[in-house]
Amino acid sequence: MIGRLGSVLAAMLLVSAAGPAQAAAAAQPVPEIMAALGDSISTGFNACGFYVSCTPRSWSSGDNPEVNSHYLRLSAMAGTLQKHNLTFAVPGATSADLLDQVRKAVEAKADYVTILIGAQDACVRTEQAMTPVETYRRRMDAALAELRAGMPAARVFIASIPDLRRLWQVGRTIPLARTFWTAGHICQSMLAQPTSTKRADVQRRQRVRARVMAYNRAAAQACARFGPGCHTDGGAVFSYPFTLDHVSKWDYFHPNMDGQRILAEQTFEHGFTWEDPR
């Protein structure tokens, strides 16, 4: 079940990032070039094969009809975007890599950019190695400032980081999931000692979740600073009650095709209002 903190976060993000101005924003023309920025989630990693990216199944820029990405939904409205779906997201990327990805998007003249970054800032070997919130916010501000300088009219959509504790909750009783997490050293800040109910482990998981929530708030604040050309999902991805049916059985961590489809639905629904000339 979605915890109370998840509901509170969603409300906070809606207030801080959306606000009256965003809610009343005019419909936007369909973009001509879009770019997906971020980490392995946006590359469709493990969504169609063993430890490989699968960009056709990306929630953002993919062209698989079963996912029905932002790219396909926008392409169906107007032909301006067709075949102009770029992916600059990179598996393993953290907020430190976002500025370089933005520069590539600017060079490509992308007028619609999606960003999902931060899971790898929290998913590290130890809790102490997580990116400080202040550093994450500074990197987000720098990346968005670069984008605004290079493509002033670009529309930016920032998806919230998924709730990593939710992954632990739905997978901790599954032996195969625990095996993958341990053998692959996957997100050990959250997933180490997955069956432990010791106070130290419970509190560690709470602190990692709190860090993800703080990243989401920082991203929403950076988005608001960017201006009306930036929208967030209002915490929709973080709050979504995903199950193991939405997770790749290659690693019990990355979204599978159904997970990518859910990401596409949740983010597009909470994104921009687009002009539909049909």
Side-chain angles (χ1 to χ4, degrees), residues 55-73:
T55 52
R57 293 184 178 180
S58 165
W59 66 274
S60 171
S61 57
D63 58 10
N64 186 296
E66 293 186 63
V67 172
N68 201 14
S69 67
H70 285 222
Y71 164 69
L72 285 183
R73 292 167 191 254

Side-chain angles (χ1 to χ4, degrees), residues 124 164-165 168 187-192 204-205 208-209:
V124 286
L164 300 176
R165 193 176 69 173
W168 167 78
C187 199
Q188 292 298 280
S189 56
M190 173 63 74
L191 301 177
R204 166 178 53 82
R205 296 180 196 116
V208 174
R209 185 174 192 258

Side-chain angles (χ1 to χ4, degrees), residues 39-48 54 57 59 116 162 167 237 242-263:
D39 56 27
S40 54
I41 297 177
S42 294
T43 71
F45 192 83
N46 271 359
C48 64
C54 184
R57 293 184 178 180
W59 66 274
L116 174 48
L167 179 64
V237 170
F242 62 85
T243 72
L244 288 187
D245 289 338
H246 303 130
V247 177
S248 170
K249 299 308 183 288
W250 294 117
D251 61 5
Y252 285 86
F253 181 77
H254 288 92
N256 59 17
M257 186 170 68
D258 284 340
Q260 291 286 345
R261 176 181 54 79
I262 292 296
L263 285 172

Side-chain angles (χ1 to χ4, degrees), residues 21-271:
Q22 179 169 313
Q28 299 290 312
V30 175
E32 297 184 0
I33 300 172
M34 73 166 291
L37 313 186
D39 56 27
S40 54
I41 297 177
S42 294
T43 71
F45 192 83
N46 271 359
C48 64
F50 182 69
Y51 279 74
V52 294
S53 292
C54 184
T55 52
R57 293 184 178 180
S58 165
W59 66 274
S60 171
S61 57
D63 58 10
N64 186 296
E66 293 186 63
V67 172
N68 201 14
S69 67
H70 285 222
Y71 164 69
L72 285 183
R73 292 167 191 254
L74 292 170
S75 294
M77 295 180 187
T80 56
L81 186 57
Q82 290 178 7
K83 306 300 183 183
H84 295 114
N85 51 329
L86 306 172
T87 303
F88 297 125
V90 177
T94 71
S95 57
D97 303 299
L98 184 59
L99 182 59
D100 183 60
Q101 293 181 17
V102 162
R103 287 170 175 158
K104 292 177 180 177
V106 169
E107 184 177 1
K109 300 188 184 307
D111 55 348
Y112 179 50
V113 172
T114 69
I115 299 173
L116 174 48
I117 195 80
Q120 295 299 322
D121 289 85
C123 276
V124 286
R125 291 292 183 95
T126 66
E127 177 189 351
Q128 293 72 25
M130 292 189 298
T131 301
V133 177
E134 297 78 9
T135 302
Y136 179 88
R137 171 65 194 274
R138 184 171 66 250
R139 291 169 176 172
M140 289 293 297
D141 282 338
L144 291 180
E146 184 83 5
L147 183 58
R148 182 170 51 204
M151 289 292 292
R155 279 70 51 84
V156 184
F157 176 81
I158 301 179
S160 55
I161 305 161
D163 186 351
L164 300 176
R165 193 176 69 173
R166 173 73 185 179
L167 179 64
W168 167 78
Q169 288 174 329
V170 300
R172 71 186 189 277
T173 62
I174 309 301
L176 192 56
R178 298 197 303 265
T179 297
F180 272 105
W181 295 345
T182 301
H185 303 289
I186 296 173
C187 199
Q188 292 298 280
S189 56
M190 173 63 74
L191 301 177
Q193 304 297 327
T195 61
S196 173
T197 57
K198 292 181 180 179
R199 182 179 180 183
D201 289 313
V202 171
Q203 291 181 340
R204 166 178 53 82
R205 296 180 196 116
Q206 291 173 339
R207 289 191 296 268
V208 174
R209 185 174 192 258
R211 182 64 59 91
V212 171
M213 294 170 69
Y215 290 161
N216 284 334
R217 287 194 296 271
Q221 291 161 0
C223 185
R225 183 177 181 181
F226 183 91
C230 184
H231 285 199
T232 75
D233 68 3
V237 170
F238 179 90
S239 298
Y240 189 81
F242 62 85
T243 72
L244 288 187
D245 289 338
H246 303 130
V247 177
S248 170
K249 299 308 183 288
W250 294 117
D251 61 5
Y252 285 86
F253 181 77
H254 288 92
N256 59 17
M257 186 170 68
D258 284 340
Q260 291 286 345
R261 176 181 54 79
I262 292 296
L263 285 172
E265 288 177 358
Q266 291 294 308
T267 53
F268 198 80
E269 178 183 343
H270 291 87

